[in-house]
């Protein structure tokens, strides 16, 4: 029985090819002036050189025509990048001709023409019929010496690879309509790296209304009235395509375009798109990592950005590498972390907009559904600023955000006419009748799906118009979804498909170096060939944000390649990447990506370590929401680590420490979530050895600090001091005493407070304090100890010791030049002078504290300073400003939830109300403070609250027995605390009562 091949004999084939004709300029004249033998050798050498170049670029020299040659690309071997290869070969031929030395052979000049069309050729290849070879021959005849002319058909296929200039239109023999004559030029890659076009440059279809809206917004921006626009729609709907088309329309106008790519799994990396932009700007990452102000400023100036020094310092404070250990101890006193975060976002906005007054700026944020929190804040700030600047901010997202400053454009499916137009543009000729309607029915208006379907059918060339044939082709190709189409396109690339699969495991963006590492044993040349094939197929493209790297044209293409791998193969590739990252001193991929790679590889311990590193980096940059993303991954990975693993305890404790810091920052230091984290951590830690407990002292600190009240905090402080007595590390013991004295004063245990101060300050090391003042409380331990002792000495009626301590406190704080410590010392001095009713001193110190707090963005300290200043003003005059300042400061403090001195502040509030003629409200405020103090354990000022209650009762003509009862209670409390100064005040008040 005959085989199928034997029974059917194919007579020919239809195929799109690109023809290249080259011809020697003035060959007849050269022959007449030359020796025939020399002319023959020179022409032969030219043909040999031309054939080598043609072959190198994947072409075929079909015929030598005496003084010229006819070449084809895409025949006899089919090639998707035939047009590009032909243009590239033609430019190289011209370069060879231009640099030929006369001594080597006769000096020739070439004319070259290039054209693309559908041709029919016989099976034997002896006949090729089509427009391309004829048009290429006509074009070369029109070309100038040593130049190339390209037909419009080829230009449309290669516009994304070369720059073209239109010389003119000409009527060529045999062609009815005028023919455009295009001259190609190699594209300067450096000028296109920031282009936002991530799509092959087919004309966009069906988006005229949206393009008009973008153009209108740009015209307003040119008039100094910029805006922010959000393009929203599902994956594949054409958001990036629309932005790319709009950006291409601006090419002839003077402007700057900056593209910021948000990435999947990068939500935990604060300001990642902006930092990537800075890394491209400075070229050398160490400039940002090391905080090199000079080099950074120079790079900004070189890019035309004149930025204030403060903005440069702020950004470098954000990007510079810092010790990860710091993050485990950080508190967020006075919300300074939020203030720093705000300053960074403002500095980033300054860098992006400072050129706008001279050069209109287009800022594009892609895939905002994967943006980190700080990037979202940056976009919102840019949107607010845009109204007064020549900038246009465009963001693309799959999800809708609540946007007060952006105009939303929702992209829906294409209309039927646009889909038909899109199909026709891909076919290049009229598609079979009904095919466009069939594609429209399948794709539901999604442009990417329609494009892939049209390409799928084009490669299979359906000959009929039957619905059953098209359905059969889909069934034969296993196509039921867009993912199937993308997988089919991948499969059609042959060996290059494997490259795409490996690249998909790296991520949407990948470098050749890492891909080559994964493909162990595969030559770099093979990798380059595969990359070129994937580029020509439109599966990948050169990265617009990372020079020298590539990315999948669409994330759906990456997902298709990734899902086509068996899970076991995926894990092996992830494992190879993970092994590389683990072995590197500094991982070449961001910590968040490294964590994901290790997690997918099943290396749970390494994944947890990388996730912790990512979270630490975010915490150090006051990016707590972003840190939380990494901590959620870390928690999953720690739970997957075997309980017998030697690193599990350290990983779990590191996780607890960071979870506590983040919970305290996001939900409040007294929040239930923060308390729960530290309670679990402490339960786990106290089962460990003393060495481990010392190493993780921040857990103790957090457990103590997040206690629900002073009573609990005091009992925990005593446990903490006891547990740390035997440790060798002096700094750890000092910080345990720090907890002891801070709580004991509030609890009214002044002897224990002073004992902790004395023992703690004996262990104080100024050098270690520089590091630890940022860890524990945000202030220097010596400043804190001296301040607490000044207050305790006052209440114990030792004024000389009190004055000496507060003097040392202020002087030492000034010597540290540390904002948190200086504000802390001023607060102690203010409280001390307030206890003594020294109004002028309170006001002066308050203004000093306010100035410092404003300079460093310390919101809670600003609230306190205004409260004390307002109180002092009101107590010394009837000025309305005093009342406003006090009430404003009190309101802000209540909003911030940072009142750790409720007793004294309530005392002040009651005095303000009394001064305003509201004694009943004042008394209610005092009684509330007494109840809170008794229940919470903050008892150091209870005696004074009872004394004030007696005074207010007297003003309200309350019964003498009630007044006497309050004063007697004040004396009892003060005596129990050995607070002689308070005892005397209460006794004087009692003695001053009239006798009944």
């Amino acid at each position: 029985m005959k085989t199928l091949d034997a029974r059917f004999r194919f007579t020919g084939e239809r195929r799109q090819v690109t023809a290249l004709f080259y011809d020697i300029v003035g060959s007849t004249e050269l022959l007449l002036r030359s020796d025939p033998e020399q002319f023959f050798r020179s022409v032969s050498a030219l043909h040999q050189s031309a054939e080598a170049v043609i072959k190198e670029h994947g072409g075929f020299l079909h015929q030598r025509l005496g003084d010229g040659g006819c070449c084809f690309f895409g025949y006899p071997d089919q090639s998707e990048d035939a047009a590009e290869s032909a243009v590239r070969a033609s430019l190289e031929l011209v370069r060879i001709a231009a640099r030929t030395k006369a001594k080597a052979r006769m000096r020739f000049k070439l004319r070259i023409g290039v054209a693309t069309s559908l041709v029919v050729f016989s099976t034997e290849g002896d006949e090729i019929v089509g427009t391309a070879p004829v048009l290429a021959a006509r074009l070369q005849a029109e070309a100038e010496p040593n130049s190339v002319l390209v037909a419009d058909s080829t230009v449309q296929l290669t516009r994304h690879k070369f720059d073209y200039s239109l010389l003119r239109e000409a009527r060529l023999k045999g062609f009815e309509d005028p023919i455009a004559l295009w001259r190609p030029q190699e594209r300067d890659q450096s000028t296109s790296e920031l282009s936002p076009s991530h799509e092959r440059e087919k004309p966009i279809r069906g988006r005229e209304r949206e393009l008009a809206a973008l153009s209108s917004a740009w015209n307003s921006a040119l008039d100094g009235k910029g805006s922010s626009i959000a393009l929203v729609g599902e994956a594949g709907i054409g958001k990036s395509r629309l932005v790319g088309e709009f950006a291409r329309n601006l090419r002839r106008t003077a402007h700057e375009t900056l593209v910021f790519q948000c990435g999947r799994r990068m939500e935990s990396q604060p300001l990642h798109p902006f930092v990537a932009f800075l890394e491209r700007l400075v070229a050398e990452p160490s400039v940002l990592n090391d905080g090199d102000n000079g080099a950074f400023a120079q790079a900004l100036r070189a890019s035309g950005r004149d930025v204030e020094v403060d903005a440069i310092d702020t950004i470098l404070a954000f990007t510079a590498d810092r010790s990860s250990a710091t993050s485990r101890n950080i508190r967020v006193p006075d919300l300074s972390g939020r203030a720093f975060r705000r300053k960074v976002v403002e500095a980033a906005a300054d860098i992006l907009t400072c050129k706008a007054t001279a050069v209109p700026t287009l800022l594009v944020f892609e895939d905002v559904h994967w943006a980190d929190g700080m990037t979202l804040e940056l976009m919102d700030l840019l949107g607010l600023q845009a109204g007064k600047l020549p900038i246009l901010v465009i963001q693309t997202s799959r999800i809708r955000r609540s946007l007060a400053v952006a105009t939303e454009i929702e992209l829906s499916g294409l209309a039927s006419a646009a889909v038909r137009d899109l199909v026709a543009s891909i076919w290049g000729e009229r598609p079979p009748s009904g095919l466009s309607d069939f594609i429209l029915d399948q794709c539901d208006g999604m442009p990417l799906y329609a494009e892939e379907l049209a390409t799928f059918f084009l490669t299979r060339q359906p000959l009929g118009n039957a619905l059953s044939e098209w359905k059969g082709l889909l069934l034969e190709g296993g196509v039921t979804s867009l993912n199937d189409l993308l997988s089919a396109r991948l499969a059609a690339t042959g060996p290059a498909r494997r490259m795409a699969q490996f690249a998909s495991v790296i991520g949407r963006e990948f470098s050749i170096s890492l891909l080559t590492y994964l493909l162990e044993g595969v030559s770099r040349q093979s990798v380059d060939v595969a990359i070129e094939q994937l580029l020509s197929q439109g599966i990948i493209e050169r990265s617009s944000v990372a020079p020298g790297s590539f990315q999948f044209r669409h994330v759906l293409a990456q997902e298709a390649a990734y899902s086509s791998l068996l899970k076991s193969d995926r894990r092996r590739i992830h494992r190879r990447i993970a092994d590389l990252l683990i072995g590197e001193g500094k991982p070449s991929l961001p910590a968040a990506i490294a964590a994901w790679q290790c997690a997918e590889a099943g290396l749970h311990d390494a994944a947890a370590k990388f996730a912790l590193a990512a979270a630490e980096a975010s915490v150090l940059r006051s990016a707590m929401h972003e840190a939380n993303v990494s901590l959620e991954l870390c928690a999953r990975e720690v739970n997957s680590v075997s309980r017998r693993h030697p690193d599990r305890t350290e990983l779990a404790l590191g996780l607890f420490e960071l979870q506590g810091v983040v919970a305290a920052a996001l939900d409040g230091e007294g929040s239930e979530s923060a308390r729960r984290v530290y309670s679990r951590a402490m339960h786990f830690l106290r089962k460990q050895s003393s060495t481990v407990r010392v190493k993780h002292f921040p857990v103790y600190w957090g457990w103590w600090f997040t206690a629900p009240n002073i009573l609990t905090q005091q009992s925990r402080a005593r446990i903490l001091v006891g547990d740390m007595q035997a440790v060798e590390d002096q700094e750890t013991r000092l910080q345990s005493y720090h907890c002891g004295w801070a709580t004991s004063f509030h609890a009214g245990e002044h002897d224990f407070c002073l004992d902790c101060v004395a023992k703690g300050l004996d262990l104080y090391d100024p050098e270690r304090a520089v590091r630890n003042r940022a860890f524990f409380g945000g202030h220097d331990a010596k400043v804190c100890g001296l301040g607490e002792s000044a207050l305790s000495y006052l209440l114990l009626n030792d004024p000389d010791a009190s004055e000496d301590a507060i003097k040392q406190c202020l002087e030492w704080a000034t010597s540290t030049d540390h904002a948190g410590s200086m504000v802390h010392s001023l607060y102690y001095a203010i409280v001390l002078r307030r206890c003594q009713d020294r109004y002028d001193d309170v006001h002066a110190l308050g203004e000093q504290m306010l100035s410092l707090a404003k300079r460093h963005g310390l919101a809670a300290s600003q609230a306190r300073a205004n409260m004390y200043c307002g109180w002092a003003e009101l107590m010394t005059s009837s000025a309305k400003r005093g009342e406003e300042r006090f009430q404003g400061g009190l309101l802000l403090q209540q909003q911030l939830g940072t009142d750790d001195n409720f007793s004294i502040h309530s005392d002040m509030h009651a005095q303000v109300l009394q001064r305003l003629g509201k004694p009943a409200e004042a008394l209610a405020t005092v009684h509330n403070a007494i109840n809170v103090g008794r229940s919470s354990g903050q008892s150091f000022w209870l005696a004074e609250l009872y004394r004030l209650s007696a005074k207010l009762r007297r003003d309200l003509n309350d019964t003498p027995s009630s007044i006497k009862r309050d004063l007697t209670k004040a004396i009892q409390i003060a005596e129990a605390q050995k607070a002689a100064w308070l005892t005397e005040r209460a006794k004087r008040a009692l003695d001053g009562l009239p006798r009944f």
Side-chain angles (χ1 to χ4, degrees):
M1 182 177 179
K2 293 184 177 180
T3 65
L4 185 64
D5 289 338
R7 282 184 288 133
F8 288 89
R9 179 176 179 80
F10 294 93
T11 59
E13 184 179 341
R14 291 159 52 95
R15 187 186 300 172
Q16 180 173 280
V17 302
T18 298
L20 182 155
F21 260 74
Y22 68 88
D23 183 68
I24 298 173
V25 178
S27 58
T28 302
E29 290 82 355
L30 285 172
L31 174 60
L32 293 176
R33 296 199 307 266
S34 308
D35 177 72
E37 184 177 346
Q38 182 187 10
F39 182 83
F40 174 77
R41 285 197 303 269
S42 296
V43 171
S44 296
L46 174 65
H47 283 309
Q48 289 172 5
S49 297
E51 185 171 11
V53 170
I54 299 301
K55 187 175 181 180
E56 180 183 348
H57 287 82
F60 167 64
L61 180 56
H62 180 61
Q63 284 181 310
R64 292 186 182 182
L65 304 173
D67 56 357
C70 174
C71 313
F72 290 105
F73 292 77
Y75 168 85
D77 296 325
Q78 193 163 358
S79 171
E80 294 295 330
D81 59 353
E84 179 190 345
S85 298
V87 177
R88 213 170 287 286
S90 68
L91 292 172
E92 185 168 343
L93 284 173
V94 168
R95 285 195 295 270
I96 290 174
R99 67 172 180 257
T100 300
K101 295 180 180 179
K103 291 183 179 179
R105 67 175 190 212
M106 298 185 65
R107 192 176 185 86
F108 293 132
K109 294 182 179 180
L110 297 179
R111 293 189 182 95
I112 301 177
V114 181
T116 304
S117 77
L118 188 70
V119 301
V120 175
F121 55 86
S122 64
T123 304
E124 291 78 10
D126 53 358
E127 291 185 71
I128 299 179
V129 178
T131 305
V134 177
L135 181 54
R138 298 286 189 269
L139 289 171
Q140 67 86 13
E142 295 289 326
E144 295 292 325
N146 275 356
S147 71
V148 182
L149 288 181
V150 178
D152 193 69
S153 55
T154 308
V155 170
Q156 295 305 318
L157 295 171
T158 59
R159 285 178 62 188
H160 61 299
K161 296 293 183 180
F162 303 95
D163 290 324
Y164 285 97
S165 55
L166 179 62
L167 298 185
R168 65 184 190 281
E169 290 187 341
R171 292 193 175 274
L172 305 182
K173 182 180 178 181
F175 292 88
E176 182 176 346
D177 296 324
I179 301 297
L181 306 182
W182 296 91
R183 176 171 290 169
Q185 183 178 348
E186 292 281 6
R187 175 166 292 174
D188 181 1
Q189 294 299 322
S190 64
T191 62
S192 60
E193 283 175 356
L194 292 179
S195 169
S197 174
H198 296 321
E199 305 291 337
R200 292 172 295 171
E201 297 193 20
K202 297 187 183 75
I204 197 168
R205 310 288 169 172
R207 299 297 188 200
E208 291 78 15
R209 180 178 61 84
E210 291 85 354
L211 275 173
L214 294 178
S215 297
S216 176
W218 180 250
N219 290 333
S220 295
L222 294 179
D223 292 334
K225 300 176 182 178
S227 59
S228 178
I229 294 179
L231 300 178
V232 181
E234 61 183 311
I237 204 68
K239 303 181 292 296
S240 297
R241 188 69 165 274
L242 176 62
V243 176
E245 183 76 5
F246 170 66
R248 282 193 293 277
N249 293 341
L250 302 182
R251 281 179 179 173
R252 295 183 180 180
T253 64
H255 73 287
E256 180 177 50
T257 297
L258 299 177
V259 181
F260 304 91
Q261 180 67 56
C262 303
R264 190 176 186 180
R265 303 183 186 89
M266 296 300 288
E267 301 97 321
S268 64
Q269 303 289 290
L271 278 184
H272 167 70
F274 175 73
V275 173
F277 159 73
L278 294 182
E279 289 173 346
R280 297 195 302 273
L281 200 66
V282 301
E284 180 53 56
S286 62
V287 171
L288 300 175
N289 298 337
D290 298 341
D292 189 336
N293 296 61
F296 185 39
Q298 184 177 357
L300 289 171
R301 285 194 298 271
S303 68
R305 291 172 170 79
D306 187 11
V307 183
E308 295 290 334
V309 173
D310 284 349
I312 292 174
D313 291 342
T314 298
I315 292 298
L316 290 180
F318 177 79
T319 60
D321 289 337
R322 281 169 283 180
S323 169
S324 61
T326 311
S327 61
R328 312 288 180 92
N329 305 272
I330 283 180
R331 281 181 54 222
V332 194
D334 293 329
L335 304 184
S336 56
R338 297 183 193 178
F340 175 67
R341 181 186 179 104
R342 184 175 63 251
K343 281 185 65 177
V344 171
V345 170
E346 290 172 351
D350 287 345
I351 289 174
L352 297 182
T353 60
C354 63
K355 286 177 63 176
T357 52
V359 182
T361 304
L362 173 64
L363 302 171
V364 180
F365 291 83
E366 290 273 25
D367 294 328
V368 170
H369 44 275
W370 287 322
D372 61 272
M374 288 188 77
T375 295
L376 295 177
E377 290 178 29
L378 173 60
M379 287 189 297
D380 290 343
L381 179 58
L382 289 169
L384 287 170
Q385 295 178 345
K388 298 180 180 180
L389 291 170
I391 66 173
L392 177 60
V393 183
I394 300 179
Q395 51 181 285
T396 68
S397 179
R398 296 182 190 176
I399 60 176
R400 179 178 285 106
R401 292 177 59 221
S402 178
L403 297 167
V405 295
T407 301
E408 183 181 287
I409 298 178
E410 184 174 3
L411 297 188
S412 55
L414 293 179
S416 56
V419 172
R420 293 190 184 95
D421 193 18
L422 174 61
V423 173
S425 72
I426 291 172
W427 274 68
E429 57 183 62
R430 186 165 183 165
S433 176
L435 179 62
S436 296
D437 290 330
F438 176 74
I439 291 176
L440 177 63
D441 183 62
Q442 294 288 317
C443 74
D444 196 27
M446 181 181 286
L448 182 60
Y449 201 175
E451 182 180 322
E452 293 297 330
L453 275 171
T455 304
F456 176 84
F457 286 122
L458 180 63
T459 58
R460 284 155 179 78
Q461 290 288 335
L463 300 176
N465 299 329
L467 183 67
S468 59
E469 180 185 356
W470 302 330
K471 287 184 176 179
L473 285 172
L474 291 179
L475 184 63
E476 178 185 330
V479 174
T480 60
S481 65
L482 175 57
N483 185 75
D484 294 335
L485 278 171
L486 295 169
S487 298
R489 179 189 283 202
L490 276 169
T493 63
R497 175 174 178 262
R498 179 60 65 182
M499 302 285 183
Q501 289 173 317
F502 273 83
S504 73
V505 180
I506 299 173
R508 184 178 179 185
E509 187 174 290
F510 59 92
S511 66
I512 291 295
S513 59
L514 183 52
L515 181 60
T516 305
Y517 165 80
L518 294 179
L519 297 163
E520 189 176 17
V522 177
S523 69
R524 175 59 186 266
Q525 183 179 3
S526 298
V527 174
D528 290 341
V529 169
I531 289 294
E532 288 301 320
Q533 187 170 358
L534 294 173
L535 283 168
S536 67
Q537 288 285 341
I539 294 169
I540 65 172
E541 61 192 355
R542 287 179 172 82
S543 171
S544 62
V545 296
S549 293
F550 297 84
Q551 66 181 28
F552 283 86
R553 176 187 169 218
H554 200 286
V555 69
L556 296 178
Q558 182 217 345
E559 291 172 354
Y562 189 75
S563 63
S564 68
L565 287 164
L566 294 176
K567 289 184 178 179
S568 57
D569 290 336
R570 261 188 244 160
R571 175 161 287 200
R572 280 194 293 270
I573 301 171
H574 280 299
R575 178 61 183 265
R576 185 153 171 76
I577 297 173
D579 288 342
L580 172 66
L581 295 170
I582 293 169
E584 292 176 333
K586 184 175 183 180
S588 52
L589 294 178
I593 298 298
W596 172 71
Q597 290 287 352
C598 292
E600 294 300 312
L603 301 175
H604 303 298
D605 57 330
K609 291 174 184 176
F610 280 123
L612 278 178
E616 287 167 344
S618 294
V619 166
L620 289 168
R621 288 159 177 78
S622 303
M624 301 303 178
H625 287 287
E626 292 82 351
N628 216 26
V629 175
S630 294
L631 291 177
E632 289 174 358
L633 171 61
C634 182
R636 293 195 297 271
E637 294 306 301
V638 169
N639 288 335
S640 298
V641 174
S642 168
R643 294 189 179 276
R644 294 188 297 273
H645 194 287
D647 294 337
R648 192 179 192 280
T649 297
E650 282 297 314
L651 290 172
L653 287 170
L655 173 63
F656 278 135
E657 287 170 348
L658 286 177
Q659 284 178 326
V661 169
V662 170
L666 294 180
D667 303 326
E669 292 169 336
S671 65
E672 183 59 35
S673 60
R675 291 172 186 158
R676 188 166 53 247
V677 169
Y678 281 117
S679 292
R680 289 176 56 209
M682 194 63 181
H683 178 74
F684 183 71
L685 180 60
R686 295 198 78 193
K687 296 178 181 179
Q688 311 304 320
S689 67
S690 60
T691 303
V692 174
R693 293 202 301 270
V694 171
K695 182 177 180 180
H696 293 280
F697 180 75
V699 169
Y700 273 92
W701 179 281
W703 177 65
W704 162 78
F705 193 82
T706 57
N709 52 55
I710 297 297
L711 289 173
T712 306
Q713 197 173 58
Q714 176 66 351
S715 66
R716 290 181 179 182
R718 290 186 176 274
I719 292 172
L720 197 158
V721 170
D723 279 6
M724 296 298 121
Q725 282 295 308
V727 304
E728 294 182 3
D729 184 69
Q730 293 188 1
E731 186 68 24
T732 301
R733 296 213 317 273
L734 164 61
Q735 296 303 337
S736 72
Y737 288 124
H738 188 168
C739 298
W741 74 58
T743 306
S744 299
F745 170 79
H746 283 276
E749 298 185 16
H750 300 296
D751 287 340
F752 186 64
C753 171
L754 293 172
D755 184 58
C756 286
V757 171
K759 291 178 178 177
L761 295 190
D762 279 345
L763 302 169
Y764 181 80
D765 181 342
E767 292 185 4
R768 295 188 68 180
V770 172
R771 173 177 176 270
N772 287 298
R773 66 175 60 121
F775 290 4
F776 302 108
H779 55 254
D780 186 88
K782 184 174 180 178
V783 168
C784 186
L786 290 169
E788 295 285 8
S789 60
L791 294 174
S792 282
Y793 280 130
L794 173 70
L795 301 188
L796 293 174
N797 206 21
D798 189 345
D800 292 339
S802 177
E803 291 301 318
D804 182 59
I806 200 63
K807 179 182 178 183
Q808 290 185 57
C809 175
L810 291 167
E811 289 176 349
W812 186 253
T814 302
S815 72
T816 67
D817 194 29
H818 178 250
S821 300
M822 289 189 286
V823 166
H824 204 55
S825 68
L826 286 169
Y827 186 47
Y828 279 122
I830 290 171
V831 172
L832 183 68
R833 300 311 178 207
R834 180 261 168 273
C835 292
Q836 298 166 326
D837 292 330
R838 291 166 58 171
Y839 306 118
D840 291 342
D841 289 344
V842 169
H843 191 273
L845 289 165
E847 292 290 6
Q848 188 179 346
M849 179 176 169
L850 181 62
S851 175
L852 189 62
K854 283 182 176 180
R855 191 158 66 247
H856 293 278
L858 307 177
S861 291
Q862 292 180 53
R864 290 172 184 149
N866 276 314
M867 283 175 60
Y868 282 90
C869 286
W871 172 80
E873 290 174 10
L874 193 62
M875 297 302 290
T876 55
S877 70
S878 58
K880 185 179 180 181
R881 181 171 180 269
E883 176 191 355
E884 292 176 349
R885 288 190 74 177
F886 179 85
Q887 295 290 359
L890 179 64
L891 179 61
L892 177 58
Q893 185 168 256
Q894 290 170 345
Q895 292 172 345
L896 298 174
T898 55
D899 190 357
D900 57 359
N901 210 348
F902 184 76
S903 296
I904 282 186
H905 295 163
S906 295
D907 183 319
M908 293 163 61
H909 190 192
Q911 291 187 46
V912 168
L913 291 170
Q914 182 188 26
R915 189 82 170 177
L916 296 174
K918 302 176 181 179
E921 289 184 37
L923 184 61
T925 298
V926 170
H927 285 172
N928 177 64
I930 289 172
N931 292 333
V932 171
R934 294 179 68 89
S935 62
S936 69
Q938 190 177 70
S939 57
F940 78 97
W941 202 245
L942 273 177
E944 277 296 288
L945 289 172
Y946 274 110
R947 190 177 72 85
L948 180 57
S949 173
K951 185 176 185 297
L952 292 168
R953 286 184 189 277
R954 186 173 180 180
D955 291 346
L956 289 166
N957 297 316
D958 205 341
T959 63
S961 60
S962 298
I963 299 171
K964 184 176 181 180
R965 186 170 58 247
D966 280 348
L967 291 172
T968 302
K969 191 67 176 175
I971 294 169
Q972 291 173 347
I973 292 172
E975 287 179 340
Q977 297 176 4
K978 300 179 183 178
W981 188 73
L982 297 177
T983 302
E984 288 184 8
R985 287 163 68 92
K987 285 183 176 181
R988 282 197 301 270
L990 183 60
D991 292 342
L993 290 177
R995 303 293 180 182
F996 296 99

